[in-house]
Amino acid sequence: MKLFFTSLYIGLLSVLGLLFSCTSPDTSTSFFPEYALYLLNEDGSNTFVLLDSLQRTGESVEIEVPSKEFTREYIQKKGAFYHFKEKNDYFIRYQLDSNHQMIATDSILFKDGYLENYLWKNDTDTLLLFTVEKKTTAHARMYVVDTKNFTLIREEALPLPSSVADFNLLSIGVVDFVDDKLWVAYCYSKFLTADDYTTSDTMYYATLDFSSLAVLNLQKDTRSSYPGGVNTVQSYSARDDQGDFYFMSCPGVALGNSLSKPTAIFRRKAGSQQVDTSYMLDVSKTILNHAYGFWYVGGQKAIIRSEQHELYTDFSNHHSVFQFEYYLVDLATKKLEKINIPLDKGTRKENVLVQGDYVYFGIDNESNKHEIWRYTPAHGKTENVFSASSTADYILRLDFLK
């Protein structure tokens, strides 16, 4: 639910700028970055570290972010960065120039809304964006953008109910597209006080015809609450090698805030419009904690990021406590194996990158070091392969630029 986190999640909702100044422009003819590491620094500034490799021997360029124009929530594909600037409702495209400066190259005006989720349609240049109206936080819209020509080719309201009983805050947590059908997992929340809220005990799954947006199927699920989350901040779903679609619910204090419900992983089998009610991987039952973030590794394995409720006081210090552990999840056997890397901090981060046989983690550890760790799921080996600036506070994102 974007409204809640816009106002309260100040620990990590840092800001980027419209123009980035490169600290090492002389490398423009020889340096070709493949990775972007996005940092929040101790002084409140932000830095992109562009890397040609995730090894210590690689070259890097730092880009300072001088102004405070947009948040860390962006979409990246093939070296282009896309951001919905909620302050004025412009969807903006940024690109790196030959001197590794990030330049705003084009924009599209959207209607008033919070960006909740995005999806690349069939892995093409067509980008689907889903927003919830700011004024009521109860009505959703879909935008379809041709990113190659950067044009808006479709805009339409989603036929989702605006509320259920007194739960009137709509959250679009997971989206999927297959066989010309749009699948949306959503839920409803409500404010309890000015700075506290909770989520209802039901998750909703709607299958819509993409052309007409007619609802073809609606399913309710009370096994958990708050499916997924804002995926410009963190990933919560993936399709496996067989085409089955997995997603995680996040009812913990940092997202759904419905603590009696378990964090769990669910499955929608390939070719089905409905979530498989015979499958549920109860994460909380196994590790006795809630978790956030889901990254598919391959071979029926995934990574999740778990909090430790005994280490933080409440939501106010949730982001600053070194508490987060990472687990390898076997989706077939439902077994979880803790990964041997240092405890991490930062409530929600897109800091896990899967590449081939390796998984890379951006970790902010208790020694005040900000490092890239490499993990090999096949044999469980972990190693520290890169260290970022000592003036950093959080590694918020790790992106592959190609």
Side-chain angles (χ1 to χ4, degrees), residues 225-252:
S225 183
Y226 208 95
V230 180
N231 71 343
T232 53
V233 177
Q234 193 172 51
S235 298
Y236 304 94
S237 64
R239 181 167 280 103
D240 74 359
D241 314 284
Q242 288 74 44
D244 295 340
F245 185 79
Y246 289 86
F247 65 97
M248 191 166 77
S249 64
C250 299

Side-chain angles (χ1 to χ4, degrees), residues 150-379:
F150 207 68
T151 56
L152 179 63
I153 57 180
R154 185 178 176 187
E155 173 198 341
E156 196 164 350
L158 290 180
L160 305 179
S162 59
S163 65
V164 174
D166 60 339
F167 290 84
N168 61 353
L169 306 174
L170 172 64
S171 297
I172 301 173
V174 182
V175 290
D176 188 32
F177 181 88
V178 63
D179 295 333
D180 207 38
K181 295 180 180 64
L182 179 66
W183 186 84
V184 182
Y186 61 97
C187 63
Y188 297 93
S189 303
K190 67 177 179 180
F191 279 105
L192 300 174
T193 65
D195 57 1
D196 192 19
Y197 84 111
T198 190
T199 303
S200 76
D201 62 357
T202 304
M203 302 183 293
Y204 299 86
Y205 315 131
T207 303
L208 302 99
D209 176 79
F210 184 69
S211 299
S212 65
L213 290 188
V215 178
L216 304 176
N217 186 75
L218 180 62
Q219 183 180 7
K220 299 179 182 180
D221 194 344
T222 59
R223 292 176 293 173
S224 184
S225 183
Y226 208 95
V230 180
N231 71 343
T232 53
V233 177
Q234 193 172 51
S235 298
Y236 304 94
S237 64
R239 181 167 280 103
D240 74 359
D241 314 284
Q242 288 74 44
D244 295 340
F245 185 79
Y246 289 86
F247 65 97
M248 191 166 77
S249 64
C250 299
V253 66
L255 283 178
N257 199 26
S258 183
L259 303 184
S260 63
K261 293 286 188 177
T263 294
I265 297 170
F266 301 91
R267 177 179 68 190
R268 199 180 83 250
K269 292 185 71 65
S272 175
Q273 296 182 13
Q274 292 206 326
V275 170
D276 180 3
T277 56
S278 69
Y279 181 92
M280 174 178 167
L281 198 165
D282 191 331
V283 172
S284 295
K285 183 178 180 180
T286 302
I287 64 174
L288 304 179
N289 277 297
H290 285 290
Y292 316 90
F294 178 93
W295 297 269
Y296 186 67
V297 175
Q300 291 282 285
K301 303 290 198 307
I303 302 289
I304 64 169
R305 189 172 186 264
S306 167
E307 70 183 15
Q308 297 185 70
H309 63 81
E310 65 275 14
L311 297 183
Y312 69 89
T313 305
D314 52 32
F315 186 72
S316 64
N317 71 336
H318 191 269
H319 65 279
S320 59
V321 172
F322 298 96
Q323 59 164 313
F324 289 96
E325 300 176 318
Y326 294 83
Y327 286 85
L328 180 69
V329 181
D330 189 316
L331 299 171
T333 66
K334 300 184 180 180
K335 293 182 179 180
L336 278 72
E337 177 184 339
K338 189 164 73 171
I339 299 170
N340 183 30
I341 53 178
L343 291 180
D344 192 18
K345 69 173 180 176
T347 294
R348 297 180 300 155
K349 306 194 294 187
E350 186 61 22
N351 64 327
V352 178
L353 180 63
V354 180
Q355 288 208 305
D357 296 330
Y358 301 113
V359 181
Y360 295 91
F361 300 85
I363 300 296
D364 305 301
N365 67 34
E366 293 180 277
S367 300
N368 197 32
K369 293 182 179 179
H370 311 279
E371 302 168 331
I372 301 297
W373 282 74
R374 185 171 67 187
Y375 167 60
T376 310
H379 52 64

